Amino acid sequence: MIILKRPEEIEKIRTSNVIVADILRELKEKIRPGISTLDLNRYSEEMAKKRGAKPAFKGYRGYPFALCTSVNSEVVHGMPSTRVLKSGDIVSLDFGAHHQGYYGDAAITVPVGEVTPETLLLLQTTEQSLYDGILQARAGNRLGDISAAVQNRVEAAGFSVVRDFVGHGIGRNLHEEPQIPNYGVSGRGIELKSGMVLAIEPMVNAGTYKVRVLSDGWTVVTADGRLSAHFEHTVAITKEGPVILSLGN
Ligand code: MF3
Ligand code: CO
């Protein structure tokens, strides 16, 4: 069942998402060669606390950290560690906040130091595919319009879309219906309605779309060891069109 949100609820979901966006921006400013992903995790927890929000992922299905940090060939759910970032790496920062009963969820992938033009193209294409998907998040469109828009952008650039993980509805729960695949056929799927709030999150691989989960039970990596990028926004479908809730102050 898809839970539609009233405008007052959407404003509360926005509040949680602004906290997430502000934290991601501050983390991005800290990214430089020499910082560890555990340092970033610590900052994210401190910043959430200062804002009066709870890190949404910590304890979720037993996940032990506030932040997901997925480096290079890690796709999503990478766990913070003493691993130190070095120039040429890319790191996905995925953070969720719970505040006054509502969840926020967003992610960015950030280059560390100097990266190759091919790597930059992967990041730019993934972010652009997210915006292409968001533009389709309109009442009267179908879910497949979002999925196809993401997939088209990604594949036109010669990259591939991860199949095994999807975006999701969000609100009083971190994960609600519908699931939002990043591949699909326009005109297919459920009809989108005003009041839906969606976390759209393309995961894009440089090589094969195939992934596997490491023995830690969390870290998802590309099957071929090549790079992967991830961007996520929480978006409300309104009468005025799509509204990105995870934009910072
Ligand atoms: N943004 C991811 C999601 O929406 C992060 C979940 S990590 C977890 O699923 F630890 F909470 F599972
Ligand atoms: Co999400």
Side-chain angles (χ1 to χ4, degrees):
M1 187 197 45
I2 298 176
I3 304 168
L4 300 180
K5 281 86 183 178
R6 291 173 282 106
E8 313 87 75
E9 291 182 284
I10 290 176
E11 286 317 305
K12 289 180 182 164
I13 301 172
R14 189 201 297 272
T15 300
S16 299
N17 275 286
V18 169
I19 293 171
V20 171
D22 286 348
I23 289 173
L24 289 177
R25 194 196 54 232
E26 290 196 42
L27 292 175
K28 182 177 182 178
E29 285 166 5
K30 295 191 181 298
I31 297 282
R32 49 173 173 71
I35 197 166
S36 79
T37 52
L38 204 53
D39 294 333
L40 296 168
N41 179 70
R42 197 171 323 108
Y43 287 129
S44 76
E45 276 202 82
E46 283 169 12
M47 289 186 271
K49 193 164 193 182
K50 218 177 284 173
R51 301 289 215 111
K54 268 194 65 183
F57 303 161
K58 197 171 179 176
Y60 182 86
R61 296 180 184 223
Y63 184 75
F65 297 97
L67 184 69
C68 296
T69 54
S70 306
V71 181
N72 296 339
S73 63
E74 297 172 356
V75 179
V76 286
H77 305 164
M79 291 200 280
S81 72
T82 53
R83 174 180 191 161
V84 164
L85 297 175
K86 60 179 198 311
S87 185
D89 286 344
I90 57 173
V91 58
S92 149
L93 306 172
D94 188 352
F95 189 75
H98 191 225
H99 179 78
Q100 299 197 333
Y102 290 89
Y103 283 93
D105 187 9
I108 54 176
T109 303
V110 183
V112 184
E114 294 264 309
V115 302
T116 66
E118 168 76 359
T119 301
L120 270 189
L121 183 66
L122 176 68
L123 300 186
Q124 287 166 358
T125 301
T126 306
E127 187 168 24
Q128 186 60 56
S129 77
L130 170 58
Y131 284 100
D132 290 345
I134 289 170
L135 279 173
Q136 297 300 319
R138 299 177 177 280
N141 276 7
R142 301 255 164 193
L143 191 61
D145 295 334
I146 297 176
S147 306
V150 171
Q151 182 176 22
N152 288 342
R153 173 70 63 175
V154 169
E155 293 182 354
F159 300 129
S160 71
V161 160
V162 171
R163 267 65 167 165
D164 292 357
F165 295 87
V166 295
H168 50 95
I170 182 168
R172 286 195 165 276
N173 307 288
L174 177 60
H175 294 136
E176 296 182 2
E177 288 181 31
Q179 294 193 23
I180 308 169
N182 295 299
Y183 62 97
V185 179
S186 59
R188 300 258 185 99
I190 57 143
E191 188 181 329
L192 302 176
K193 295 196 162 65
S194 268
M196 288 183 180
V197 179
L198 308 176
I200 304 174
E201 50 179 319
M203 290 146 268
V204 174
N205 294 352
T208 178
Y209 64 77
K210 291 186 182 159
V211 300
R212 64 191 178 87
V213 182
L214 297 187
S215 58
D216 62 22
W218 282 102
T219 313
V220 178
V221 298
T222 57
D224 59 9
R226 294 182 66 187
L227 295 181
S228 185
H230 175 217
F231 284 82
E232 176 176 22
H233 270 309
T234 294
V235 178
I237 300 178
T238 75
K239 288 192 200 72
E240 285 77 43
V243 176
I244 301 176
L245 301 179
S246 46
L247 295 175
N249 269 332

